[in-house]
Amino acid sequence: MDTELAGLEQKLATLLADYHRLRAENESLNRELGRALEQNRSLNSRIAAATARLDSLLQQLPESTG
């Protein structure tokens, strides 16, 4: 009986250690995801601004007479 109890205690300790490790990893990944999403929004904004500038420049080009 004591051996079974010791085995269960060891399994529980392992399970709890895995739980804490995975929870910390999940929090880290969530922070990383937040940073990546913010960077994505920033890059999309920069792309939109560059597209607008290019469109403006294209409007200023003279029509080709060929």
Side-chain angles (χ1 to χ4, degrees):
M1 178 75 169
D2 286 341
T3 305
E4 291 176 13
L5 189 56
L8 288 174
E9 287 176 343
Q10 179 58 40
K11 286 180 182 180
L12 181 58
T14 301
L15 181 63
L16 286 172
D18 288 344
Y19 165 79
H20 290 295
R21 180 182 52 80
L22 290 171
R23 184 174 171 111
E25 184 178 349
N26 188 43
E27 289 174 3
S28 175
L29 289 171
N30 277 326
R31 286 190 300 272
E32 188 177 333
L33 175 61
R35 287 189 300 269
L37 289 172
E38 179 56 37
Q39 183 180 25
N40 189 34
R41 281 190 287 272
S42 175
L43 291 173
N44 281 332
S45 176
R46 290 176 62 191
I47 288 170
T51 300
R53 287 194 306 269
L54 285 173
D55 287 342
S56 176
L57 289 172
L58 286 173
Q59 294 295 324
Q60 295 175 19
L61 288 176
E63 294 283 330
S64 64
T65 55

